[in-house]
Amino acid sequence: MKELEKDFKRETPTIIGLDEIYLSTPRGIITNIGDRCLVDMLDNRRKVTIVEFLRSLPNPEKIQAASTDMYRPYREAIQEVLPHVVHVVDKYHIIRMGNEALEAVRRRLKRRINKLVFVFWGSQNNCSSTMNANACLVFRKCLAIERYFGRCSG
């Protein structure tokens, strides 16, 4: 193995990917995104290890972009060693965070709607003379939204 390592020359990718895989402990994975291949698997994903690897690359000026998740040591290592590189957060994490935010808003609105519908539920869909016009309008809107969310079948 040591004999083979002496002759091994790593090519520097144009677009590099940094991620991790969990094999009892997290290990850093470096990929060549342009050629869709593995460049190296590191012993860990600590910043010092990533920095050391990036500094070992021949012709680091060839790297134009780096794609990572939002793990801070990846971002810091890229900024430190490759300040000329465009850093991109991979789309999986952006989409996941967007979906989580939308779901949180949907749940919050659903709770508000449930409270409003509960307050006015006794009158069903009929606005009595004791209810003012604004309350009646809010109640009708709540029922429409509630039906949209699937709670009412009517």
Side-chain angles (χ1 to χ4, degrees):
M1 185 71 161
K2 290 188 189 269
E3 199 63 36
L4 288 173
E5 282 180 342
K6 281 190 238 175
D7 296 332
F8 176 72
K9 292 187 181 182
R10 175 178 288 121
E11 286 188 37
T12 302
T14 306
I15 305 170
I16 195 168
L18 283 77
D19 211 340
E20 66 276 334
I21 187 168
Y22 290 86
L23 303 170
S24 70
T25 61
R27 297 185 65 171
I29 299 291
I30 313 297
T31 57
N32 180 334
I33 294 177
D35 293 340
R36 297 180 179 183
C37 63
L38 179 68
V39 174
D40 207 341
M41 183 184 308
L42 308 176
D43 291 334
N44 58 63
R45 64 180 192 150
R46 292 191 313 252
K47 179 184 170 185
V48 66
T49 306
I50 302 294
V51 166
E52 183 180 304
F53 172 81
L54 293 174
R55 286 195 173 132
S56 75
L57 289 172
N59 306 316
E61 66 279 356
K62 275 182 60 178
I63 302 173
Q64 297 173 5
S67 175
T68 70
D69 57 22
M70 290 172 279
Y71 185 55
R72 186 181 314 149
Y74 293 158
R75 185 185 69 233
E76 291 173 353
I78 290 167
Q79 288 171 342
E80 183 178 322
V81 181
L82 306 168
H84 66 282
V85 167
V86 175
H87 183 206
V88 179
V89 176
D90 66 53
K91 68 180 180 182
Y92 166 79
H93 295 88
I94 300 295
I95 291 169
R96 185 191 58 158
M97 288 177 60
N99 284 338
E100 287 172 358
L102 285 172
E103 181 65 14
V105 168
R106 186 197 65 78
R107 286 181 180 169
R108 191 170 60 243
L109 288 174
K110 179 79 168 135
R111 282 192 299 271
R112 285 183 187 170
I113 290 166
N114 286 345
K115 286 178 186 176
L116 286 171
V117 170
F118 180 77
V119 168
F120 295 114
W121 200 250
S123 64
Q124 290 294 316
N125 203 15
N126 302 320
C127 292
S128 66
S129 59
T130 58
M131 293 176 71
N132 68 35
N134 287 338
C136 186
L137 181 63
V138 167
F139 177 64
R140 285 190 176 137
K141 286 182 179 179
C142 285
L143 283 179
I145 293 170
E146 192 66 23
R147 284 187 187 106
Y148 177 78
F149 279 109
R151 182 163 182 249
C152 297
S153 59

